[in-house]
Amino acid sequence: MKVAIINYNAGNVQSVLFAMDRLPGIDATLTDDHELIRTADKVIFPGVGEANSTMKHLRQKGLDDLIRSLTQPVLGICLGMQLLCDYSEENDTECLGIIPQHVRLFQPGNGEKVPHMGWNSLDLQPGTWLSPELDGQYTYFVHSYYVEKGPYTAATTNYCQPFTSVLRKDNFYATQFHPEKSGKVGEQILKDFLAQ
Amino acid sequence: MFAKRIIPCLDIKDGRTVKGGNFVNLRDAGDPVELGARYSEAGADELVFLDITATHEKRKTLAQLAREIARHLNIPFTIGGGIRSVEDVEVLLNSGADKISINSAAVRQPELISEMAKHFGSQFVVLAVDAKFVDNEWYVHLNGGRIKTDIPLLPWVKEAEDRGAGEILFTSMDHDGTKAGFANDITARVSESLSIPVIASGGAGTMEHFKDVFTTGKADAGLAASIFHFKEIEIIDLKQYLQQEGVVVRI
């Protein structure tokens, strides 16, 4: 199976490639080549960084239109998930507009620290693309902004309030946490995505 | 539920783990990648690799090591030891490190924190600080605690946060190696004065010490080396104990 990992100005995309290489039967490439991305069986849109400059970079490389036009399963990770949405409060950023949701800054009400950094548990919605045994399991998060709960939410996590930690709309899948850094649970989530 | 983290620390010299400890069944107890994988399986939430090599070749070996760890490990890891420049950091991040830690270099040149946060994002930058209680005040110490500065601890960690550090790794030199418990009071003051997570280090000897540092000490994570290396405490036993005591951990 050919997996294209979109390579752009984002931090630590190498780890996503390594995680793919650990799975059997996966031929993963880190690339910004439109043709390679378009023809891949699965696409991963990773992301660590700041929303506004990342969107600018995507537009410059024409990757924004390319991502919108993809029809195979696409997995957004962390900032990649946030950028699939309409709008982010992070530096007032228009995002890709694929998921009709807003991305908000955490407002600690009970002394929570921002960023939300560390392991937190998943509450699965019924009937999602995730293996049911993942309910209640822990994954690794690093983020200050979150996607609100909405009709495309597949799992929530509680920090300051319940927010969307996994979602899906049509062929677009996304996780707020880093499955590539979430131990065996993360590996299962990557397998669940690759099985779509 | 948001979990408290347990973090083993591995000392690295010339690309090899030193003080590998009592790990039986390891083909090579000096191999940091294999030891790291072992800890990951045992339930460690994160790993810290601290390079204590003092050679010019350091940057290259450290980058190779980061790459090997990232290739084989599926939990986050921090790499630190002698990092002095944005270039040092860039090569580590491109090799797959999740975070880097800086210590003495940041004290000598605080703008390094700002530069690194600006280039790579706060989530990559862990400020490590060693402090000792001298004349009724906690002072920052350099070079593994050997050199005292006149910088008080609390203003320094606040400055680090303001400059964009994403996390503080605080070691009390007075507690380090004693196995008599963490420096809970000052850890709580550090934690309460900041809005970024604090990793407490130094003094872990029993499972109760971890409970204390997470409750009284208000730490977000607890770091230890020898008690894990020498299997005085198994991480899974520690986590089960903490869970029974009402501390949220990932099991």
Side-chain angles (χ1 to χ4, degrees):
Chain A
M1 183 188 293
K2 284 201 187 308
V3 176
I5 301 164
I6 301 178
N7 192 16
Y8 64 103
N9 206 10
N12 211 357
V13 287
Q14 198 67 43
S15 292
V16 180
L17 180 64
F18 288 150
M20 285 293 125
D21 287 345
R22 287 193 291 265
L23 297 174
I26 301 296
D27 174 16
T29 321
L30 206 50
T31 180
D32 61 358
D33 182 283
H34 287 213
E35 197 50 31
L36 277 177
I37 294 169
R38 211 189 307 277
T39 56
D41 299 308
K42 303 282 191 300
V43 174
I44 297 183
F45 177 36
V48 172
E50 186 274 322
N52 204 286
S53 56
T54 305
M55 273 309 297
K56 275 190 191 138
H57 185 86
L58 291 173
R59 284 191 200 103
Q60 273 166 12
K61 295 220 157 193
L63 288 166
D64 55 333
D65 287 337
L66 176 73
I67 293 168
R68 284 191 202 97
S69 72
L70 295 173
T71 53
Q72 69 273 57
V74 178
L75 177 68
I77 296 176
C78 195
L79 180 64
M81 168 177 180
Q82 299 182 359
L83 296 181
L84 292 176
C85 295
D86 277 345
Y87 169 81
S88 172
E89 287 183 356
E90 187 173 19
N91 295 317
D92 192 23
T93 303
E94 289 296 320
C95 302
L96 292 167
I98 295 166
I99 313 284
Q101 295 277 179
H102 283 191
V103 181
R104 310 261 184 223
L105 178 64
F106 277 123
Q107 303 292 342
N110 204 10
E112 294 96 343
K113 296 187 171 182
V114 177
H116 174 218
M117 184 190 286
W119 297 80
N120 206 335
S121 55
L122 303 177
D123 294 317
L124 265 56
Q125 303 287 108
T128 72
W129 60 279
L130 299 167
S131 299
E133 66 268 22
L134 293 169
D135 193 31
Q137 296 289 325
Y138 282 82
T139 55
Y140 185 77
F141 293 83
V142 184
H143 62 125
S144 299
Y145 295 80
Y146 67 95
V147 178
E148 296 176 306
K149 212 179 152 189
Y152 304 104
T153 300
T156 60
T157 292
N158 202 0
Y159 197 73
C160 300
Q161 76 276 321
F163 67 90
T164 299
S165 44
V166 185
L167 59 74
R168 177 198 176 175
K169 180 175 183 281
D170 307 322
N171 58 316
F172 290 92
Y173 301 74
T175 67
Q176 178 58 66
F177 51 83
H178 289 274
E180 76 279 13
K181 288 287 162 185
S182 296
K184 290 199 170 71
V185 169
E187 197 176 295
Q188 183 59 51
I189 290 164
L190 290 173
K191 285 179 183 165
D192 284 352
F193 167 70
L194 295 169
Q196 299 298 313
Chain B
M1 284 193 288
F2 189 52
K4 300 287 189 183
R5 289 171 280 157
I6 303 293
I7 308 177
C9 179
L10 288 81
D11 285 347
I12 306 292
K13 194 175 181 197
D14 301 321
R16 309 276 299 163
T17 309
V18 292
K19 290 193 293 188
N22 286 357
F23 276 89
V24 285
N25 305 327
L26 275 187
R27 275 182 292 122
D28 179 359
D31 179 359
V33 178
E34 197 177 352
L35 197 55
R38 181 66 169 261
Y39 275 127
S40 172
E41 275 162 39
D45 295 308
E46 232 175 284
L47 294 170
V48 170
F49 295 88
L50 203 58
D51 188 43
I52 55 172
T53 310
T55 65
H56 296 299
E57 284 296 288
K58 180 170 188 152
R59 193 195 282 180
K60 207 170 130 199
T61 52
L62 205 54
Q64 280 166 352
L65 177 65
R67 180 164 286 268
E68 279 313 296
I69 297 164
R71 199 185 289 281
H72 295 283
L73 216 65
N74 58 10
I75 58 171
F77 70 96
T78 301
I79 202 155
I83 292 171
R84 289 187 188 89
S85 67
V86 167
E87 293 71 38
D88 288 346
V89 175
E90 188 157 26
V91 68
L92 291 172
L93 296 180
N94 289 340
S95 304
D98 297 290
K99 310 178 199 179
I100 57 89
S101 79
I102 42 171
N103 190 332
S104 302
V107 176
R108 295 193 176 104
Q109 208 186 331
E111 58 275 16
L112 261 183
I113 303 172
S114 324
E115 273 178 51
M116 288 174 183
K118 182 168 156 272
H119 272 81
F120 311 111
S122 291
Q123 74 277 2
F124 285 124
V125 184
V126 179
L127 179 84
V129 54
D130 300 329
K132 246 186 225 181
F133 193 65
V134 184
D135 299 333
N136 235 20
E137 177 65 84
W138 285 89
Y139 286 103
V140 175
H141 282 60
L142 302 181
N143 292 34
R146 287 189 291 275
I147 303 172
K148 179 182 172 294
T149 71
D150 294 328
I151 305 165
L153 172 66
L154 289 172
W156 170 236
V157 291
K158 185 66 192 155
E159 178 179 349
E161 177 183 43
D162 292 343
R163 285 182 177 275
E167 206 165 21
I168 302 291
L169 166 51
F170 166 60
T171 303
S172 161
M173 304 307 299
D174 294 322
H175 295 71
D176 200 30
T178 63
K179 296 192 180 182
F182 291 92
N184 294 314
D185 292 344
I186 186 64
T187 301
R189 283 171 63 200
V190 170
S191 186
E192 283 173 337
S193 69
L194 303 176
S195 66
I196 54 175
V198 174
I199 305 167
S201 156
T206 67
M207 297 202 272
E208 287 83 353
H209 293 155
F210 283 90
K211 181 188 78 174
D212 293 343
V213 82
F214 289 138
T215 52
T216 317
K218 298 186 165 41
D220 299 279
L223 178 140
S226 61
I227 56 157
F228 295 137
H229 300 328
F230 295 105
K231 295 210 160 212
E232 290 163 28
I233 295 178
E234 293 280 358
I235 293 173
I236 185 63
D237 295 340
L238 172 60
K239 285 189 158 184
Q240 272 160 3
Y241 162 80
L242 289 169
Q243 192 174 48
Q244 280 163 17
E245 294 292 319
V247 177
V248 178
V249 286
R250 174 184 73 113
I251 290 188

